[in-house]
Amino acid sequence: EIKLVESGGALVQPGGSLNLSCVASGFPFYYYAMKWVRQAPGQDLEWLSTINSAQNSGIGNRSPYYADSVKGRFTVSRDNDKRTLYLYMSNLKTEDTAIYYCVKGGGFDASGSRGQGTQVTVSS
C-alpha cells in the first residue's frame, strides 16, 4: 500500500519560513520522481515542484523544477535513505495559504497518489 504522510504545516506570519516533510512507504521511493502540490480554499490543486529520482539524475537533468509562483522562495529536496521528501518555504505570503500535499510521480501537474496533506496558514 502506497502511503505518504506530510507534516510540518503551521500558522506563520508573512515573510516567515517553514519546512515541510513527507515520509513515503509502500513503494521504492528512490526510483520515483516526487512532487509537491497545494490546494488553496475554493481552488484547484496547483503543482509547485518536482524532483527527479536518483535514476533520472545525470547530465542535462535540470531537476528540480518549480512553478513560477514559488521559484526562488521554495526549495525541494529528498533523502532517499530516509524515504523523505522535503519542501523548504521562505518569504511566505498570504497567498501561500493552502493544504500542501506530496505526490508520487513526476511531471508538472498535480496527478498521482498523494497523502492527507498538511495545512499551511500565512497570516499576521
Side-chain angles (χ1 to χ4, degrees):
E1 176 191 4
I2 295 170
K3 191 172 183 182
L4 299 164
V5 180
E6 302 93 339
S7 63
L11 170 63
V12 62
Q13 292 187 342
S17 61
L18 278 176
N19 196 27
L20 306 184
S21 299
C22 170
V23 178
S25 61
F27 65 99
F29 179 76
Y30 76 95
Y31 188 80
Y32 285 87
M34 296 290 296
K35 53 193 175 184
W36 287 97
V37 303
R38 69 185 178 189
Q39 188 166 31
Q43 297 189 22
D44 293 333
L45 286 167
E46 176 190 10
W47 170 77
L48 299 177
S49 180
T50 299
I51 185 167
N52 283 345
S53 69
Q55 299 295 104
N56 290 327
S57 297
I59 296 174
N61 184 343
R62 297 188 174 183
S63 169
Y65 305 91
Y66 298 96
D68 288 343
S69 60
V70 304
K71 194 176 296 182
R73 300 189 299 123
F74 290 11
T75 302
V76 63
S77 62
R78 63 191 297 164
D79 185 330
N80 289 333
D81 290 336
K82 295 183 178 179
R83 304 175 61 86
T84 302
L85 181 73
Y86 302 98
L87 185 68
Y88 176 71
M89 307 185 295
S90 63
N91 190 22
L92 284 162
K93 306 175 182 180
T94 55
E95 52 263 42
D96 293 319
T97 295
I99 300 174
Y100 285 70
Y101 302 90
C102 67
V103 180
K104 171 180 171 283
F108 309 119
D109 59 20
S111 63
S113 300
R114 63 180 186 265
Q116 84 291 342
T118 187
Q119 176 71 49
V120 172
T121 302
V122 184
S123 175
S124 55

